[in-house]
Amino acid sequence: MSSWNPFIVLELVNQERNERNIPPLELDQRLMDVIQFQVDYCAENDTLTHSNPAGSLGERFSIFNYQFRSSGENLANGYGPNEEIRVVKSWMNSPGHRANILNGSYKHMGVGFKNLYWGQAFGSLLNNGPAIPVSCNPISIIPSIPVSITPDTSNNSHTTRYTTTTTTRYNFYYSQ
């Protein structure tokens, strides 16, 4: 089991966008599925690639019923669980990845992780429709920045608590 938090990636990306007066992104469950599918493929084949036997990025968006007008994908490897800050910084230091993060035509994002592979899928819908929400479990309200990472290993699971700049602390665990 690996602990990681898509809401931390979303918060960090939206901080970068906000500094440049670009509207914030929302997480979309379909894009979470799109990018997790790709990240799983990369991890299972131990290769960082935008290619997939299931088809192009656009075809993968269609598989998960995201009818897009714009789309993009960022991938990275070599970053473990709980390294959201490091992976977003690395994407921001790469011109192509940075361009995706700061692309104002994107409205939604998905985040995926497996082993040492991370990914982001970006898109906006043909009909400008809303995101399908990604569930979360807010456990308390605290004004802070994403620096508090405290593992909780109760019940033999890894639940990692994160404090985000949206002033909501989330409690997540994702099984891999």
Side-chain angles (χ1 to χ4, degrees):
M1 182 178 312
S2 297
S3 296
W4 60 282
N5 188 326
F7 288 89
I8 295 226
V9 174
L10 177 69
E11 181 64 29
L12 294 168
V13 164
N14 282 337
Q15 285 175 10
E16 296 291 346
R17 292 170 68 93
N18 183 56
E19 288 174 10
R20 294 156 183 88
N21 296 314
I22 303 168
L25 296 171
E26 296 178 87
L27 289 180
D28 183 285
Q29 186 60 57
R30 294 163 293 192
L31 295 184
M32 296 289 288
D33 295 339
V34 166
I35 198 61
Q36 191 61 55
F37 183 76
Q38 184 63 23
V39 168
D40 287 348
Y41 177 78
C42 290
E44 290 161 12
N45 291 283
D46 197 23
T47 185
L48 188 65
T49 179
H50 293 280
S51 299
N52 189 305
S56 68
L57 179 60
E59 290 167 324
R60 286 181 269 133
F61 272 50
S62 294
I63 289 169
F64 291 98
N65 297 313
Y66 191 91
Q67 303 306 313
F68 67 96
R69 68 180 158 91
S70 61
S71 64
E73 179 180 73
N74 285 347
L75 296 171
N77 80 332
Y79 301 93
N82 301 326
E83 291 196 274
E84 293 88 346
I85 294 170
R86 285 188 62 227
V87 74
V88 171
K89 281 183 182 179
S90 82
W91 281 325
M92 287 303 293
N93 288 327
S94 163
H97 296 107
R98 179 186 181 96
N100 275 338
I101 288 171
L102 301 178
N103 186 327
S105 73
Y106 298 144
K107 307 298 179 206
H108 307 133
M109 182 177 74
V111 181
F113 172 79
K114 185 170 186 176
N115 299 339
L116 298 177
Y117 293 88
W118 284 85
Q120 294 173 297
F122 301 94
S124 56
L125 290 165
L126 275 174
N127 64 1
N128 289 318
I132 292 179
V134 174
S135 63
C136 68
N137 179 25
I139 58 173
S140 64
I141 306 290
I142 312 176
S144 188
I145 58 173
V147 294
S148 175
I149 300 176
T150 308
D152 173 5
T153 57
S154 60
N155 298 327
N156 294 326
S157 68
H158 292 285
T159 301
T160 304
R161 296 169 192 243
Y162 296 93
T163 305
T164 69
T165 57
T166 59
T167 70
T168 304
R169 183 180 287 166
Y170 296 100
N171 194 24
F172 289 94
Y173 65 93
Y174 286 81
S175 297
Q176 295 296 324

